[in-house]
Amino acid sequence: MLDELTEKLEKALKKITGQGKITESNISETLREIRRVLLDADVNYKVAKDFIEKVKEKSLGQEVINSVTPGQLITKIIYDELVELLGNQSSELEVNPNGLTTIMLIGLQGSGKTTFSAKLAKYLKNKKQNVLLVAADVYRPAARSQLKILGSQINVPVFSIDESNDPVTISVESLKYAKENGLNTVIIDTAGRLHVDDEMMIEAAKIKERVKPTQTLFVVDSMTGQDAVNSAKAFHEKVDFDGVVLTKMDGDSRGGCILSIRAIVDRPVKFVSLGEKLDSLELFYPDRMASRILG
Ligand code: GDP
């Protein structure tokens, strides 16, 4: 994960960590190099620019120039700024203490939404929640059966109305079913399309309005770089969400989306998904991710 980004950052920082004494021009040169590395990793242009400016401001303080280990100090400044960029603290899933917790998942087709819904169900079941999965993706032909198979693998019931093509009705009915059957957590897998389109947004907004979810999570394929950030922006404007799930982090994601998304939509990353297996899910910790990135 993110190996290329880590390698290039290490290389850029090596030039400066080896030096006993550094000058303003050494610092500027290193930061220019790091900016290039970030842009190569597909980090949003403005996010990369702001990041470098912040690091530069801190690095040019006398403290760094006069330090005996200026390189290490700069590395520490970059680490701190990365943690900040990634959201500082981990952000747990919000639950409704007084009743039903409803989690609505939105995102493009193929983002890993259905897989994530089962992963989340397993994660919450392990936390002693009584979970219901809801098959509200009525457009992708295999989505309902895929969810039913996943549900049976983890012993979590799946609510579906096979004869209905109305995701709003399915979602609303699922809440009744959960209440009647003593379940306290509902995860709604909504439909995605291949590209951002108005119809999908209107439908997701309608479900949201009727269900009033405790949390809405936007699921996005981390391998899609700037496209991931653009779709996050579109969903944020049209439907809005409380947190982000980055999937396929086990692949060779260049890192751009991970570093840009929070700054662009101002919503925390809550989970990262690291494979097709149902237990390959991690809570997102900004400090751990920053350490991973810096190697
Ligand atoms: P949906 O259309 O958003 O519901 O996407 P799916 O859940 O069907 O996932 C699309 C494809 O991505 C499937 O082949 C999944 O097995 C795969 N997938 C989902 N999450 C991950 C992940 O974290 N890592 C990897 N490598 N593949 C994933």
Side-chain angles (χ1 to χ4, degrees):
M1 178 171 74
L2 308 176
D3 292 346
E4 198 181 324
L5 175 62
T6 300
E7 212 173 281
K8 285 183 179 170
L9 280 175
E10 269 179 345
K11 210 167 144 205
L13 281 166
K14 214 173 225 155
K15 284 187 199 154
I16 206 161
T17 42
Q19 298 182 23
K21 192 103 189 113
I22 54 169
T23 61
E24 210 171 306
S25 94
N26 289 146
I27 294 176
S28 298
E29 195 190 317
T30 300
L31 293 183
R32 261 200 305 278
E33 174 75 21
I34 290 176
R35 184 163 162 273
R36 256 198 306 276
V37 171
L38 294 178
L39 292 178
D40 272 358
D42 220 8
V43 173
N44 173 278
Y45 177 79
K46 186 165 184 313
V47 173
K49 187 167 169 272
D50 291 350
F51 178 83
I52 293 300
E53 263 166 29
K54 281 190 198 155
V55 174
K56 193 167 185 176
E57 207 174 285
K58 288 192 179 168
S59 305
L60 289 180
Q62 283 307 307
E63 206 191 327
V64 172
I65 300 221
N66 294 329
S67 142
V68 265
T69 52
Q72 274 88 327
L73 251 176
I74 290 196
T75 308
K76 172 77 170 67
I77 291 169
I78 290 175
Y79 169 81
D80 288 343
E81 285 303 320
L82 275 177
V83 175
E84 171 88 29
L85 186 62
L86 293 167
N88 267 319
Q89 283 158 358
S90 69
S91 161
E92 259 284 5
L93 206 58
E94 208 175 287
V95 294
N96 177 2
N98 307 315
L100 199 60
T101 296
T102 43
I103 300 158
M104 176 176 162
L105 306 180
I106 54 174
L108 291 178
Q109 196 177 104
S111 60
K113 228 175 339 82
T114 304
T115 309
F116 171 72
S117 58
K119 288 184 180 192
L120 184 63
K122 187 171 186 212
Y123 172 87
L124 292 171
K125 191 178 173 221
N126 288 341
K127 288 185 172 271
K128 309 277 177 264
Q129 302 304 311
N130 294 321
V131 185
L132 178 67
L133 280 163
V134 180
D137 181 350
V138 296
Y139 302 111
R140 188 160 64 83
R144 285 191 237 218
S145 51
Q146 185 188 345
L147 198 63
K148 285 179 192 168
I149 292 167
L150 293 171
S152 71
Q153 283 173 13
I154 52 173
N155 264 324
V156 166
V158 176
F159 183 87
S160 153
I161 308 178
D162 290 347
E163 62 281 9
S164 171
N165 275 332
D166 177 11
V168 180
T169 305
I170 295 171
S171 303
V172 170
E173 289 299 316
S174 77
L175 304 186
K176 285 188 208 152
Y177 179 90
K179 283 179 193 154
E180 284 163 11
N181 289 276
L183 304 162
N184 65 357
T185 307
V186 173
I187 300 170
I188 304 174
D189 180 25
T190 68
R193 312 277 160 101
L194 285 174
H195 303 284
V196 169
D197 77 19
D198 285 343
E199 221 175 302
M200 169 175 62
M201 296 295 183
I202 291 166
E203 185 177 287
K206 260 194 214 157
I207 299 175
K208 197 174 169 203
E209 196 184 300
R210 293 289 303 280
V211 168
K212 299 200 174 28
T214 319
Q215 295 261 278
T216 304
L217 301 181
F218 172 67
V219 181
V220 68
D221 178 347
S222 65
M223 309 266 281
T224 56
Q226 296 272 356
D227 281 348
V229 177
N230 291 337
S231 62
K233 219 170 146 197
F235 274 92
H236 174 56
E237 282 160 10
K238 301 265 168 64
V239 191
D240 203 8
F241 47 82
D242 305 290
V244 177
V245 177
L246 296 172
T247 65
K248 310 188 192 179
M249 288 283 290
D250 50 314
D252 59 352
S253 158
R254 284 191 289 163
C257 147
I258 299 132
L259 288 171
S260 313
I261 210 155
R262 218 216 55 158
I264 299 288
V265 296
D266 194 25
R267 291 290 180 269
V269 177
K270 296 213 181 232
F271 289 98
V272 289
S273 169
L274 295 141
E276 295 182 76
K277 293 219 174 77
L278 295 184
D279 49 8
S280 52
L281 182 70
E282 284 182 10
L283 265 179
F284 183 75
Y285 294 100
D287 51 351
R288 289 187 203 168
M289 185 56 72
S291 300
R292 264 186 198 172
I293 289 172
L294 283 178

